[in-house]
Amino acid sequence: MGRQMWSLQYYRYMRLVGVSQEHKNEINIERKAAVTLALSPYPPVGTESPLASRHRAAHKMRPILLQGHERSLTQIKYNREGDLLFSCSKDVLINVWFSTNGERLGTYDGHNGTVWTIDVDFESRFLISGSADNTMKLWNVQTGKCLFTWEFPTAVKRVAFSENGDQVVCVTEQRMGHQGAIRIFDIDRSSDGTNQSTEAVNVFHPIGSKATVVTFAHKPSLILTGHESGKIALFSAETGEEVETNQKAHMETITDLQLSPDRSYFITSSKDKTARLHETATLRVLKTYATETPLNSAAIAPLRPYVLLGGGQEAMNVTTTSARQGKFETRFWHKIFEEEVGRVRGHFGPINTLAVHPSGKSYASGGEDGFVRVHHFDDSYFKTRPYGEFEPDP
């Protein structure tokens, strides 16, 4: 069993054995002190222990600040190995960075509007992007050359590669009399990437609420979607038929959807101020993380039993709000016990997008302020076991 895969087994074990509320209360003080120290120097309000306070200066998780965009970030994405970090924003550029030191390697220039979404294939050979200029583009990761462009009637809001990179799925916006659509395209990997078909292998229009996020599910034959109404659904990639749905996954718009490494479960964030963990096969809600602010992104941390949540007060009200009042922190919640264990500040506006390094050793956040912040975890993050014997060694 790989190190990245222990979290699901741990979840199943915890679901079977259960943990009493009494035991939770007993370890609560120790837990908060330990995790606060690991995420120092940015603890949640009122939870910093004297021990954490004394050691704060010695355990700073210093971020790397990436300055390559002129407008707010829309999505960030690590490649499979984690050595590259891709970012896009409401300007027209896509940037690629070394994730270890924040050095910018180059840009992908070709869109004429906000770049809403990006994804990179498993070989780091192709990059796909979707934009408000009503196009989806395929790029050569190494050279930065645009290999192919698909054109649509409306903006492309989300794109995703299949696990083996031979297909791409995208969501186009419902606007100007055009229905929102989910399209699946085959990707020709046999040549240099310029020989692609403009025709989708399947196009379908979700009934009712429009889709806001999409990805391939645990099987390549299934498409997983999140919707404006808060529902999540599984569609057949071949027929477009809705095969499974959860109408009440959230109460408001789903803003992000990220899969676990083995795709057996996933996390969603929503404007209803919650993030939820779901089983992919059944769409059943496994865990709920309730906050006091609208959420724009959520990610699952490998190695450690945490999920990361990001959001903040609506962007239109940011200018009259301080960073603390606006709640512009990345929040760390315990994946199993559904308790907040720490926060990391730094952005001067809402956090729009989060991504965790595939190794679990760092994470990145992109904000309304136009900055990407890369945080490398220190040793205390991995050594801390706030729930004692209930947490396996990383």
Side-chain angles (χ1 to χ4, degrees):
M1 181 68 65
R3 293 178 69 187
Q4 292 187 0
M5 308 306 296
W6 73 267
S7 55
L8 181 61
Q9 301 301 321
Y10 175 43
Y11 159 73
R12 288 170 176 163
Y13 167 74
M14 294 304 301
R15 186 172 62 176
L16 289 174
V17 301
V19 177
S20 69
Q21 185 62 44
E22 181 181 354
H23 184 73
K24 278 187 178 182
N25 293 337
E26 288 175 359
I27 62 176
N28 193 45
I29 295 176
E30 178 184 353
R31 172 188 62 77
K32 286 187 175 180
V35 181
T36 293
L37 180 60
L39 296 178
S40 177
Y42 304 117
V45 177
T47 62
E48 184 177 45
S49 69
L51 178 63
S53 181
R54 288 196 300 271
H55 290 82
R56 231 169 6 123
H59 289 271
K60 289 186 178 180
M61 188 172 61
R62 293 184 177 89
I64 301 173
L65 192 64
L66 309 185
Q67 304 180 55
H69 293 284
E70 297 178 354
R71 298 186 64 192
S72 55
L73 273 293
T74 52
Q75 193 173 13
I76 53 179
K77 198 90 175 184
Y78 284 98
N79 67 339
R80 187 175 187 176
E81 292 74 25
D83 58 328
L84 301 179
L85 178 65
F86 298 85
S87 63
C88 61
S89 78
K90 290 183 179 178
D91 58 26
V92 299
L93 295 180
I94 303 166
N95 288 323
V96 58
W97 319 78
F98 271 132
S99 64
T100 52
N101 60 11
E103 178 186 349
R104 182 163 68 170
L105 294 175
T107 61
Y108 302 87
D109 190 0
H111 282 294
N112 295 311
T114 293
V115 182
W116 288 116
T117 177
I118 50 175
D119 196 19
V120 59
D121 71 359
F122 73 105
E123 291 182 324
S124 300
R125 179 185 173 193
F126 294 140
L127 177 76
I128 195 80
S129 62
S131 171
D133 64 8
N134 302 351
T135 66
M136 180 173 72
K137 291 181 180 289
L138 186 71
W139 309 82
N140 182 302
V141 168
Q142 185 174 357
T143 66
K145 178 185 176 182
C146 180
L147 303 174
F148 198 82
T149 299
W150 292 266
E151 296 184 356
F152 307 103
T154 59
V156 182
K157 300 294 289 199
R158 194 75 161 198
V159 296
F161 275 106
S162 61
E163 198 165 10
N164 62 5
D166 63 353
Q167 287 190 321
V168 163
V169 62
C170 71
V171 168
T172 53
E173 199 170 23
Q174 178 179 314
R175 182 173 287 184
M176 299 179 296
H178 295 281
Q179 284 184 285
I182 295 173
R183 294 176 169 87
I184 302 169
F185 294 89
D186 284 335
I187 298 297
D188 181 4
R189 306 183 65 86
S190 61
S191 61
D192 61 358
T194 58
N195 186 30
Q196 307 296 335
S197 172
T198 58
E199 297 298 320
V201 294
N202 197 3
V203 181
F204 53 95
H205 307 276
I207 299 172
S209 175
K210 69 179 183 181
T212 54
V213 291
V214 68
T215 189
F216 286 89
H218 58 302
K219 298 178 180 178
S221 59
L222 293 175
I223 302 297
L224 178 62
T225 61
H227 295 253
E228 192 175 52
S229 65
K231 88 166 184 175
I232 52 177
L234 284 171
F235 291 89
S236 167
E238 297 176 357
T239 65
E241 178 186 358
E242 187 175 272
V243 297
E244 194 71 52
T245 184
N246 183 342
Q247 294 286 346
K248 297 182 179 179
H250 286 280
M251 296 298 105
E252 294 186 35
T253 301
I254 293 176
T255 52
D256 195 13
L257 185 158
Q258 296 193 30
L259 291 157
S260 66
D262 65 353
R263 296 178 181 251
S264 64
Y265 65 104
F266 63 95
I267 193 168
T268 54
S269 61
S270 172
K271 292 297 183 183
D272 68 4
K273 303 182 181 180
T274 68
R276 286 181 168 160
L277 209 65
H278 313 262
E279 189 174 35
T280 310
T282 65
L283 305 185
R284 183 168 57 92
V285 175
L286 303 174
K287 297 291 177 180
T288 298
Y289 316 102
T291 71
E292 71 281 6
T293 189
L295 296 177
N296 297 325
S297 189
I300 299 168
L303 299 185
R304 303 297 287 140
Y306 303 132
V307 295
L308 283 64
L309 315 180
Q313 184 181 359
E314 294 292 344
M316 67 182 71
N317 301 320
V318 166
T319 55
T320 60
T321 308
S322 69
R324 170 57 71 181
Q325 291 174 330
K327 304 176 177 63
F328 307 142
E329 303 106 335
T330 300
R331 299 143 186 272
F332 286 70
W333 281 66
H334 198 284
K335 181 164 56 178
I336 308 304
F337 296 112
E338 302 170 287
E339 295 179 1
E340 185 177 333
V341 297
R343 295 185 188 180
V344 176
R345 289 183 296 182
H347 286 284
F348 296 97
I351 294 172
N352 293 337
T353 176
L354 291 168
V356 181
H357 193 286
S359 72
K361 295 181 179 180
S362 65
Y363 84 94
S365 57
E368 191 73 20
D369 56 12
F371 296 114
V372 177
R373 300 173 71 89
V374 178
H375 297 261
H376 293 274
F377 297 119
D378 58 23
D379 289 341
S380 60
Y381 171 82
F382 300 101
K383 293 177 181 177
T384 300
R385 296 178 65 191
Y387 287 90
E389 70 274 15
F390 289 103
E391 292 198 25
D393 290 322

